[in-house]
Amino acid sequence: MPETTKLHPKQPVAAALASRAAVRPALRQGGAFALGLAGGWAVLYGALLPFGLGLTLGLPADCFAACAAGAALSILFHGFGAFSLDSLCLLCAVGAAVAARWLWPGRLRPAFLAGCGALVLGGVCFALGPGGAGFTLVFFCGADALLAGGFGYALQRFPPEKPGFGTLLAASAVAAALGGLRFGPLCPGAAACAMVDAALCCRGQEKPALAFAAFTGAALCAADPSLAPAAVGLCCGTAAAVLLAPGRRAETLAACAGGCVLGVLCVPAPGTALPLLLSAGLGFAAPAFFPKHWLTPVPEAPAPPEEPPRLSAAATRLEAVAESLSSLAETVNAVYDAFPRRCDTFRWVIDNTHDSLCFNCGRRETCWKQEYTTTLEGMNALRPILEQQGHLQASDLPGQLSRCIHPAALCAAANRSFALYRSRKEAHVHAEAMRTALTEQYSAMADALSVLSEQLGRPGNPEPYKSGRVAAFFASLGTPPLECAVTLDDLGRARAAVTLPRTRFSSPELAALAQETGRICRRDFDPPQVLSCKGMTTLLFCEKPALRAVFGTAGTAAKGTVSGDAVQQFCSPAAAQMILCDGMGTGRPAAVDGSLAAELTARLLKAGFTAELAARLVNVALALKSDEESGATLDLISVDLYTGTARIFKAGAAPGFLVHGGRARPVGDISLPIGILGGVNGQSRVVHLAAGDYAVLVSDGLLVDGPGWVAKQLELSAAAGDPPEKVARILVETARARAEQTGRPDDITAAVLRLESCGH
């Protein structure tokens, strides 16, 4: 048995998750507030203040409000100066952007239109009002709106917590804010930028260091043109360190200092060289006092495994297996059609009787040659007697055979031949059913494998950065993952799959893992689905859907307590499933067929089969269940909880009902049940549902008086907002009363599903 790792509640995982869940949101809020302070304070080209609004538009949903508060506080300080009208317009724009992001969460366009539009509109109002500020204010407000919109869009595309372009944008806002400050001869902006550049060069991160120098240098120049020599010095010092001594601490700091001196002195700036050199020198010297492990060179990350080719190869092999199974089914059918058919008719009974008895009889020549026509008519006259009675007696012989000298032996031979004939016919029918079931199973499995290969061939867009962060999180808990992949599907929904050594998790631990993984991926995850196999445990995280399903069911048996109707209601990771199967007839035999069909269909749906494929396999199972004829209706609805798309499949089922917008309508046409034919005669359709809508599946016993009263009752229940359990109970009780009046009792069942909004 594989060794199982048990995460005990007293182990660090629960405490670590709890502490991170409590501290990290506060740290993010504080960091966002500080970034907002810097962004609101930064002034570009002596008049523009775009960073505060841009950060409010671009930061994630959990921290944009704190950033807006910091930006508003900084803008207020500017409002006491020469830009009071511009600052007032900016404050209105930040407030409008925050309100839009609160009212339309997850939608960026309303926030951008509200923030930038309020800024431009405020400038126009102040310009056209009494004592207007003129076109200059409109120009500044328009420039601020344009820069803020571009800055916010860039931050949405490139989040600042992810190393890359977004981080450089946030750093440029901080550099611009610090560039406008002076403490005597010291420039904090130049010193801070030099310190970060030197640290990056010591860690051997050449490209990030060069990019940081370029971005922050441009921000310093935009904040104060007199800092252009400092920007040139930073770029020269970083380039020298990258080229001459990457990753070596002492040599890197010396190269940075030399390059900076050369860059500053090459720019004619009388009277400013010494203060700038002092600021840059302090910045470059600061890393010399950092702890050694802070400046340890970062090793290059190993190349990730070629996951798409591996998935593609697996998909190709599955497709090959699917084609082989399909080809096998076609070959079996083709061989069967090519073989000549053996004519097992009643003439075989006559021939076998002749061979076993008459062939050695002394009157053979007379009966089978001279009087052949009369003898053959007499033998054919035995067929209805044998088919009706199953056996033959001497008194049953027709007049054409009255001359037979062995009547008892003739009856015995005919009885044996007819019994063998009937056995051969039953074997032929059974073999035909087995062949049909075998080829149908091969075809269904081939289609299922083909669907699976298509899904593996489209694994989604990988998110390597988020995958690495999720893997690091699980490693910090003492369970390094064997595999970790975060992907986006075609609809932009995030999914995370983490494979660990065999581990058991409690429900609170799964909820905490979902919360922390969702924070890392910036998505809202449900508790993961846990799959365990061969010493490994896989956690499948899916985004919380926009809708949730509430189920209700009620039923009553025609006689006694055993009903032939069976209901299955459950939610898979992305869809709500509801199944109703009605076994043919009533009582225990019907209950066996209905329960078997519903249970098998539910298992196949949970395994990822489509409704059509599940119906084909269940049809085979019912056909081979026993020698007696078995059949059941199949009524199924599957609702995508992200989009509201509902797929309905019916095979012999009674019409169902959909309540959309308060109006009920029946759905479903006439078809045959499963289990009685070699194939499935089902019908599918796709509809769209929304929050507040109902889907109702009923057995034919509920429609004793037709579907009209059911639709009216559903509209009344929908208007009253009745829960599904109550709706199902009312339908069954009313149908039972109507059936007792008409004297046509039957099993009555109603299964109800209602969609509700998840509230996010």
Side-chain angles (χ1 to χ4, degrees):
M1 293 293 292
E3 183 178 355
T4 300
T5 304
K6 170 64 177 174
L7 287 183
H8 195 273
K10 294 184 179 180
Q11 290 183 350
V13 59
L17 288 174
S19 61
R20 292 187 182 197
V23 173
R24 286 195 174 182
L27 293 178
R28 284 177 62 84
Q29 297 279 341
F33 180 78
L35 189 58
L37 285 175
W41 185 260
V43 181
L44 300 183
Y45 308 111
L48 301 181
L49 296 160
F51 287 118
L53 178 58
L55 290 169
T56 303
L57 295 173
L59 288 187
D62 62 333
C63 53
F64 75 88
C67 176
L73 187 60
S74 291
I75 292 172
L76 282 175
F77 284 104
H78 282 292
F80 296 109
F83 302 100
S84 57
L85 293 179
D86 193 9
S87 300
L88 184 57
C89 294
L90 282 170
L91 286 173
C92 295
V94 170
V98 171
R101 293 199 65 174
W102 275 338
L103 291 175
W104 295 281
R107 299 178 60 184
L108 304 179
R109 186 175 298 177
F112 278 81
L113 292 177
C116 299
L119 181 58
V120 175
L121 184 61
V124 172
C125 291
F126 282 117
L128 299 180
F135 179 75
T136 303
L137 180 60
V138 178
F139 175 78
F140 286 152
C141 290
D144 277 333
L146 184 62
L147 291 175
F151 191 78
Y153 177 76
L155 286 179
Q156 286 285 345
R157 291 290 305 275
F158 306 97
E161 63 265 25
K162 178 179 178 180
F165 188 65
T167 305
L168 294 175
L169 289 176
S172 65
V174 177
L178 295 177
L181 300 177
R182 287 289 193 280
F183 296 99
L186 181 64
C187 175
C193 294
M195 179 182 64
V196 176
D197 269 325
L200 291 175
C201 291
C202 291
R203 291 169 59 85
Q205 297 177 287
E206 294 91 350
K207 292 181 180 179
L210 291 173
F212 184 85
F215 267 76
T216 56
L220 290 175
C221 291
D224 188 351
S226 65
L227 295 179
V232 174
L234 288 175
C235 293
C236 291
T238 304
V242 168
L243 293 175
L244 300 178
R248 298 193 296 272
R249 186 173 184 178
E251 293 86 341
T252 295
L253 296 179
C256 286
C260 181
V261 171
L262 180 62
V264 171
L265 294 180
C266 287
V267 177
T272 61
L274 185 59
L276 293 178
L277 285 176
L278 175 61
S279 301
L282 291 177
F284 285 135
F289 301 97
F290 288 177
K292 187 176 182 180
H293 65 275
W294 286 14
L295 304 180
T296 302
V298 178
E300 293 186 2
E306 296 183 358
E307 191 69 11
R310 182 174 69 85
L311 290 175
S312 178
T316 304
R317 294 191 64 183
L318 282 178
E319 186 65 29
V321 174
E323 292 179 359
S324 299
L325 290 175
S326 179
S327 176
L328 180 59
E330 294 174 358
T331 302
V332 171
N333 287 327
V335 170
Y336 174 79
D337 294 337
F339 272 139
R341 298 294 186 272
R342 184 172 56 188
C343 298
D344 286 344
T345 63
F346 191 77
R347 182 56 187 260
W348 183 89
V349 177
I350 299 174
D351 293 340
N352 193 67
T353 303
H354 167 269
D355 295 341
S356 61
L357 178 66
C358 300
F359 186 80
N360 298 318
C361 181
R363 291 182 54 84
R364 176 175 175 272
E365 294 292 330
T366 301
C367 295
W368 289 99
K369 289 187 177 180
Q370 298 176 9
E371 300 178 2
Y372 174 78
T373 303
T374 303
T375 302
L376 189 61
E377 289 178 356
M379 297 295 288
N380 284 324
L382 298 177
R383 180 174 184 175
I385 301 173
L386 289 170
E387 290 179 348
Q388 182 178 3
Q389 300 180 178
H391 64 279
L392 189 66
Q393 297 178 359
S395 59
D396 297 327
L397 293 177
Q400 296 92 328
L401 301 179
S402 61
R403 64 183 179 276
C404 179
I405 60 176
H406 305 292
L410 176 62
C411 291
N415 288 338
R416 289 194 301 270
S417 299
F418 184 75
L420 184 59
Y421 162 72
R422 188 163 54 183
S423 176
R424 293 181 63 175
K425 285 194 67 175
E426 291 176 354
H428 178 73
V429 172
H430 183 69
E432 176 73 13
M434 290 295 294
R435 180 191 62 82
T436 302
L438 178 66
T439 55
E440 181 69 8
Q441 273 190 321
Y442 281 153
S443 299
M445 289 303 299
D447 292 342
L449 290 176
S450 181
V451 171
L452 182 58
S453 68
E454 182 181 357
Q455 293 175 352
L456 285 177
R458 296 184 292 104
N461 299 319
E463 294 280 313
Y465 171 72
K466 293 180 180 178
S467 300
R469 291 193 63 194
V470 173
F473 162 65
F474 277 91
S476 69
L477 300 179
T479 55
L482 303 177
E483 288 184 2
C484 181
V486 179
T487 58
L488 295 177
D489 63 10
D490 296 337
L491 298 178
R493 298 181 298 217
R495 296 184 179 181
V498 182
T499 301
L500 308 167
R502 186 94 173 200
T503 309
R504 287 186 294 174
F505 297 94
S506 64
S507 297
E509 288 173 344
L510 291 176
L513 289 173
Q515 181 180 2
E516 185 66 14
T517 305
R519 187 200 62 77
I520 293 173
C521 298
R522 300 180 65 194
R523 300 298 175 105
D524 197 5
F525 282 149
D526 271 330
Q529 181 184 5
V530 182
L531 304 177
S532 297
C533 180
K534 293 183 179 180
M536 295 183 295
T537 297
T538 299
L539 304 179
L540 300 178
F541 296 88
C542 295
E543 280 193 56
K544 285 187 178 179
L547 302 170
R548 69 184 184 96
V550 180
F551 297 107
T553 183
T556 180
K559 299 177 181 179
T561 59
V562 179
S563 172
D565 302 336
V567 177
Q568 290 279 342
Q569 297 171 318
F570 59 92
C571 285
S572 60
Q577 312 278 2
M578 188 164 66
I579 305 166
L580 172 60
C581 292
D582 182 1
M584 305 304 293
T586 59
R588 192 171 300 277
V592 172
D593 292 342
S595 299
L596 177 63
E599 179 67 23
L600 290 179
T601 304
R603 291 187 181 184
L604 291 171
L605 291 177
K606 291 176 182 178
F609 284 72
T610 62
E612 292 79 2
L613 294 176
R616 291 173 63 181
L617 292 173
V618 174
N619 181 70
V620 174
L622 288 177
L624 300 179
K625 177 179 70 69
S626 65
D627 294 336
E628 299 179 358
E629 182 177 354
S630 301
T633 65
L634 176 59
D635 203 355
L636 186 154
I637 183 169
S638 177
V639 184
D640 189 319
L641 297 178
Y642 292 98
T643 63
T645 302
R647 289 174 171 81
I648 302 172
F649 181 82
K650 288 181 175 291
F657 296 87
L658 296 178
V659 183
H660 179 67
R663 301 295 302 274
R665 61 184 178 94
V667 290
D669 299 320
I670 299 175
S671 58
L672 293 176
I674 58 176
I676 61 175
L677 295 178
V680 177
N681 183 19
Q683 298 174 347
S684 302
R685 67 174 57 190
V686 177
V687 297
H688 294 278
L689 303 177
D693 291 348
Y694 292 80
V696 183
L697 304 181
V698 300
S699 60
D700 55 357
L702 191 138
L703 302 179
V704 62
D705 285 343
W709 72 271
V710 180
K712 293 180 180 179
Q713 179 60 51
L714 288 175
E715 290 179 357
L716 292 174
S717 297
D722 291 339
E725 195 72 30
K726 182 179 179 180
V727 175
R729 186 176 66 254
I730 291 175
L731 292 177
V732 170
E733 291 175 353
T734 307
R736 185 65 175 176
R738 288 172 175 264
E740 290 175 352
Q741 293 176 0
T742 59
R744 293 177 293 173
D746 194 1
D747 296 329
I748 301 175
T749 301
V752 183
L753 179 153
R754 177 181 177 180
L755 293 179
E756 298 181 355
S757 176
C758 284
H760 70 278

